[in-house]
Amino acid sequence: MAEPVRVPTAKVALSTASVYPESTATAFEIAARLGYDGVEVMVWTDPVSQDVDALRRLSDDHGVPILAVHAPCLLITQRVWSTDPWTKLLRARAAAERLGASTVVVHPPFRWQRQYARDFVTGIWRMADESDVRFAVENMYPWRYRDREMLAYAPEWDVTKDDYRHFTVDLSHTATARTDATAMIDRMGDRLAHVHLADGNGSAKDEHLVPGRGTQPCAELLERLARTSFDGHVVIEVNTRRAMSSAEREADLAEALAFTRLHLAAAPPAPAAPPAPPSPRSRARRP
């Protein structure tokens, strides 16, 4: 007898970055039309993405909840919500709390942000202790130009080398880093709280392909999440800049959603396993 199709535990969200160069408002419209479970707001130069009241109106108007807020960590957002990186994270946390989002996604600091990088691990723990919002630190990658490689992030682009309570894994970034995505996910263990689903072929450029169009284990990851009853969010974060029309962009986002839902529903849950040991920081905090 065939296994019944299960309703996945994880919610599937659309990153507002996936509709660029269209607007944050367009992302809500597309997410509602295609049946996404919610959105992740990329806070960037679009004024609407920075305005909590405007975001709340979009969420209410389209019936699409905001599941996560991506703090403004990109080079082009260095002046969004202040030039001070801790102020940016405080504002991201406040926005998440007001919007009902469970997660703030944050990149590790750029290497030239020396004081921020020095205090980053302990500061993220402190901020996480002050709120129910998860701070999920995202894996990055070395920057490459021709045969040269520059380590642009500190303490590490491979965030599993440091101790965080929650992680975001991005499969486009594992492709760009040319690292083993499955091994990285193993190291994250039960601290994997958030997924940016995209694909890549190992180019020096961060490709963010539609899942299934590159070499990354997108299907295997989703089936693993299904077997372990993952209850975080899977966020479609793909690059649709080359779409020749709005219809082509929407078709790509529909394909990504169908791929994700198919593989989340494909695998039966595994038998319950004993809990993994807590992180070193968690053990240190026990009375």
Side-chain angles (χ1 to χ4, degrees):
M1 179 175 165
E3 290 282 349
V5 174
R6 299 181 307 105
V7 176
T9 306
K11 292 183 177 180
V12 183
L14 177 65
S15 169
T16 59
S18 295
V19 307
Y20 182 83
E22 296 195 60
S23 67
T24 300
T26 299
F28 280 85
E29 295 168 12
I30 293 175
R33 194 155 50 241
L34 295 180
Y36 278 83
D37 298 316
V39 301
E40 174 179 301
V41 173
M42 171 68 80
V43 180
W44 67 298
T45 55
D46 180 350
V48 171
S49 74
Q50 305 169 28
D51 186 331
V52 173
D53 291 331
L55 292 169
R56 190 196 301 278
R57 286 193 295 273
L58 283 170
S59 178
D60 291 344
D61 289 348
H62 294 286
V64 176
I66 297 170
L67 302 181
V69 173
H70 195 309
C73 305
L74 305 175
L75 284 173
I76 64 169
T77 61
Q78 291 299 288
R79 295 185 178 277
V80 172
W81 280 359
S82 169
T83 56
D84 176 65
W86 291 114
T87 300
K88 292 173 184 283
L89 295 190
L90 286 169
R91 292 191 64 171
R93 184 178 69 187
E97 289 171 343
R98 287 184 59 191
L99 295 167
S102 65
T103 304
V104 167
V105 179
V106 58
H107 294 178
F110 292 113
R111 189 164 290 276
W112 55 85
Q113 295 174 302
R114 293 182 181 178
Q115 186 60 50
Y116 180 44
R118 189 177 299 122
D119 299 336
F120 184 69
V121 177
T122 55
I124 290 293
W125 272 94
R126 182 180 64 250
M127 294 190 75
D129 283 341
E130 295 169 351
S131 173
D132 291 333
V133 173
R134 295 174 170 181
F135 281 83
V137 186
E138 183 174 1
N139 63 298
M140 299 304 291
Y141 47 84
W143 290 3
R144 293 188 180 91
Y145 178 71
R146 295 181 179 172
D147 296 329
R148 296 185 178 183
E149 182 175 289
M150 183 177 86
L151 300 179
Y153 298 96
E156 291 283 349
W157 63 262
D158 179 352
V159 292
T160 64
K161 293 183 179 180
D162 291 294
D163 179 34
Y164 301 108
R165 182 175 293 169
H166 296 114
F167 292 112
T168 297
V169 70
D170 184 307
L171 292 191
S172 178
H173 294 177
T174 59
T176 305
R178 300 170 190 166
T179 194
D180 184 330
T182 300
M184 177 173 281
I185 293 160
D186 286 341
R187 293 194 298 275
M188 291 179 174
D190 61 2
R191 290 182 287 166
L192 175 61
H194 201 70
V195 174
H196 281 171
L197 193 68
D199 217 330
N201 289 310
S203 166
K205 296 180 179 179
D206 186 17
E207 296 171 285
H208 283 275
L209 305 177
V210 170
R213 297 185 186 177
T215 61
Q216 295 304 286
C218 296
E220 294 85 349
L221 168 61
L222 292 168
E223 290 166 12
R224 173 177 177 157
L225 297 179
R227 286 194 299 271
T228 57
S229 299
F230 176 75
D231 63 354
H233 305 318
V234 177
V235 179
I236 303 300
E237 190 183 76
V238 296
N239 184 347
T240 62
R241 295 177 200 177
R242 293 186 179 180
M244 300 301 292
S245 66
S246 295
E248 184 177 335
R249 172 173 291 109
E250 192 161 329
D252 281 346
L253 298 177
E255 178 184 330
L257 177 60
F259 179 99
T260 304
R261 289 239 168 95
L262 173 65
H263 290 285
L264 278 175
S279 70
R281 185 67 62 95
S282 298
R283 287 198 295 270
R285 288 168 177 264
R286 286 187 177 180

